[in-house]
Amino acid sequence: MSKEKIILVGSGQHARVVLYNLKEQGKYEVACFLDSDASKVGQIYEGYEIAGTYDNLDEIRVKFKTNKFFIAFGSMKYRKPVYEYFVNSGWEAVNIIHPDAVVSKETKMGKGVLIECGCLVTPNPVIGDNVVVNTGSQINHDNVIENHVYIASGVVTSGGIVIGENSLIDDAVTITLGKKVGKNCIIGAGSVVTKDIPDNCVAYGCPAKPIRQNG
């Protein structure tokens, strides 16, 4: 049985991670990569052609006979606008879930979600669109992870927490029971969130405290 074709958007280091998890999942076949850097067009990346930029999506869709895509770069500055650009252009995001991730059947999950090897997702969370849950992280019960959130490796979230849209939770952060991280935040690596963090903050420490505005 042939696999559905998918186009990966971005060809940097994070794309290797996406490609690894995609191959392990075994559901999709990579048609090509796209990249915003026109100088890369025509190059071969990890065995696949970089077939174009984001400016020729209609041609790419016809050539490769698919409108399935996945955001394969990590930049928080561009993940949200590029994802929305593809969706608004009639493309469909897919989910990539490593077979060694444990994901509760009660999970309510959006589109364009990456859940990597060794992750644990326990009952009744809501995970929005274009979310990354990196290697070995835990999303615990009744969490709400809004759209375009990037959760790095080794993050532990307790129950009932909320992470607002377009926020980055860096490596080995712990978020304690019922706390909220606002929209467009960065929580520094190794921090412990014991109080709510307002929107648009860079926060870090143990306990985590807002240090400055983000953007």
Side-chain angles (χ1 to χ4, degrees), residues 5 13 56 173 182 210:
K5 291 183 178 180
Q13 292 182 352
N56 58 341
V173 168

PDB file of all heavy atoms in Angstrom, residues 5 13 56 173 182 210:
ATOM      1  N   LYS A   5       1.905  11.252   0.257  1.00  0.00           N
ATOM      2  CA  LYS A   5       3.060  12.124   0.099  1.00  0.00           C
ATOM      3  C   LYS A   5       2.888  13.373   0.953  1.00  0.00           C
ATOM      4  O   LYS A   5       1.794  13.882   1.131  1.00  0.00           O
ATOM      5  CB  LYS A   5       3.246  12.509  -1.370  1.00  0.00           C
ATOM      6  CG  LYS A   5       3.678  11.351  -2.260  1.00  0.00           C
ATOM      7  CD  LYS A   5       3.921  11.833  -3.679  1.00  0.00           C
ATOM      8  CE  LYS A   5       4.407  10.683  -4.551  1.00  0.00           C
ATOM      9  NZ  LYS A   5       4.650  11.147  -5.944  1.00  0.00           N
ATOM     10  N   GLN A  13      18.447  22.200  10.809  1.00  0.00           N
ATOM     11  CA  GLN A  13      18.700  21.109  11.746  1.00  0.00           C
ATOM     12  C   GLN A  13      17.408  20.474  12.254  1.00  0.00           C
ATOM     13  O   GLN A  13      17.331  19.246  12.407  1.00  0.00           O
ATOM     14  CB  GLN A  13      19.528  21.625  12.925  1.00  0.00           C
ATOM     15  CG  GLN A  13      20.949  22.007  12.542  1.00  0.00           C
ATOM     16  CD  GLN A  13      21.761  22.461  13.740  1.00  0.00           C
ATOM     17  OE1 GLN A  13      21.246  22.637  14.840  1.00  0.00           O
ATOM     18  NE2 GLN A  13      23.049  22.669  13.536  1.00  0.00           N
ATOM     19  N   ASN A  56       5.879  29.399  -4.921  1.00  0.00           N
ATOM     20  CA  ASN A  56       5.331  28.642  -6.055  1.00  0.00           C
ATOM     21  C   ASN A  56       4.534  27.433  -5.574  1.00  0.00           C
ATOM     22  O   ASN A  56       4.686  26.320  -6.072  1.00  0.00           O
ATOM     23  CB  ASN A  56       6.453  28.198  -7.007  1.00  0.00           C
ATOM     24  CG  ASN A  56       7.518  27.348  -6.324  1.00  0.00           C
ATOM     25  OD1 ASN A  56       7.646  27.354  -5.108  1.00  0.00           O
ATOM     26  ND2 ASN A  56       8.276  26.617  -7.125  1.00  0.00           N
ATOM     27  N   VAL A 173      12.371  22.482  31.489  1.00  0.00           N
ATOM     28  CA  VAL A 173      11.505  23.333  32.309  1.00  0.00           C
ATOM     29  C   VAL A 173      10.466  22.462  33.026  1.00  0.00           C
ATOM     30  O   VAL A 173       9.972  21.480  32.470  1.00  0.00           O
ATOM     31  CB  VAL A 173      10.802  24.393  31.437  1.00  0.00           C
ATOM     32  CG1 VAL A 173       9.678  25.097  32.198  1.00  0.00           C
ATOM     33  CG2 VAL A 173      11.810  25.412  30.927  1.00  0.00           C
ATOM     34  N   GLY A 182       1.621  32.688  29.681  1.00  0.00           N
ATOM     35  CA  GLY A 182       0.870  33.491  28.729  1.00  0.00           C
ATOM     36  C   GLY A 182       1.301  33.296  27.286  1.00  0.00           C
ATOM     37  O   GLY A 182       2.156  32.469  26.962  1.00  0.00           O
ATOM     38  N   PRO A 210       9.535  36.843  35.501  1.00  0.00           N
ATOM     39  CA  PRO A 210       9.659  37.643  34.278  1.00  0.00           C
ATOM     40  C   PRO A 210      10.893  38.545  34.363  1.00  0.00           C
ATOM     41  O   PRO A 210      11.108  39.231  35.362  1.00  0.00           O
ATOM     42  CB  PRO A 210       8.371  38.466  34.255  1.00  0.00           C
ATOM     43  CG  PRO A 210       7.399  37.684  35.093  1.00  0.00           C
ATOM     44  CD  PRO A 210       8.230  37.064  36.174  1.00  0.00           C
TER      45      PRO A 210
END
